[in-house]
Amino acid sequence: MPFKRFKDWVVYRAQSKFLVAVLGVITNEEGQVLLLKHVYRREPWGIPGGWMELEDPEAALEREIYEETQLKVEITGLAKAIYGTKPNRVDLIFTGKIVGGTFARSSEISEFMYCDVDAWPEGLPMGQKKLIKEILGLLE
């Protein structure tokens, strides 16, 4: 159709823009949750994640985790999508499991740990504690 490109251009220009983040509640064989210590955060501990590029969301999360830690994960499902602001974004929260690799520090991640629920390290934000428990079906 001759007007399709024009229509697509108008729609693109008229729509709000947002980023897409991918995050993971990743567990090991014992059911412990993978937490990473981020060097640039005031509350440094958190679940792994990053910004999606022009790629499949599951592949984006696997890539982010590998780039930051050298750990290999298998994504097992999409658990939740959340709209957030500052910046405007959609957070896609996945579940997954560790399937290989050996941890290596990166410019963004200084440490990692596998954590039992409610044995949280100092510096894990309350919102992430709640999110992890929700994704794992442990909210009271």
Side-chain angles (χ1 to χ4, degrees), residues 60-119:
L61 183 56
E62 290 172 355
R63 174 189 53 76
E64 281 286 340
I65 294 171
Y66 186 77
E67 286 176 359
E68 294 177 352
T69 67
Q70 300 296 296
L71 296 172
K72 295 180 182 181
V73 300
E74 177 185 312
I75 304 306
T76 56
L78 175 64
K80 184 173 187 166
I82 305 168
Y83 176 74
T85 58
K86 298 182 184 176
N88 289 334
R89 68 188 187 281
V90 172
D91 295 338
L92 300 176
I93 319 298
F94 291 92
T95 55
K97 59 185 179 181
I98 300 294
V99 294
T102 301
F103 176 77
R105 295 177 189 215
S106 69
S107 61
E108 296 181 49
I109 305 300
S110 62
E111 297 178 45
F112 84 112
M113 70 181 309
Y114 295 107
C115 183
D116 290 315
V117 173
D118 289 330

Side-chain angles (χ1 to χ4, degrees), residues 3-15:
F3 296 106
K4 182 178 180 337
R5 285 185 21 195
F6 177 71
K7 182 194 78 134
D8 290 348
W9 180 83
V10 169
V11 169
Y12 177 78
R13 295 284 183 235
Q15 295 299 311

Side-chain angles (χ1 to χ4, degrees), residues 7-44:
K7 182 194 78 134
D8 290 348
W9 180 83
V10 169
V11 169
Y12 177 78
R13 295 284 183 235
Q15 295 299 311
S16 299
K17 308 296 184 277
F18 55 90
L19 296 167
V20 179
V22 288
L23 301 120
V25 176
I26 308 298
T27 55
N28 64 10
E29 291 178 3
E30 289 78 39
Q32 297 170 308
V33 178
L34 173 66
L35 297 177
L36 305 178
K37 189 171 186 181
H38 300 80
V39 299
Y40 55 86
R41 293 183 182 170
R42 186 173 39 89
E43 293 180 289

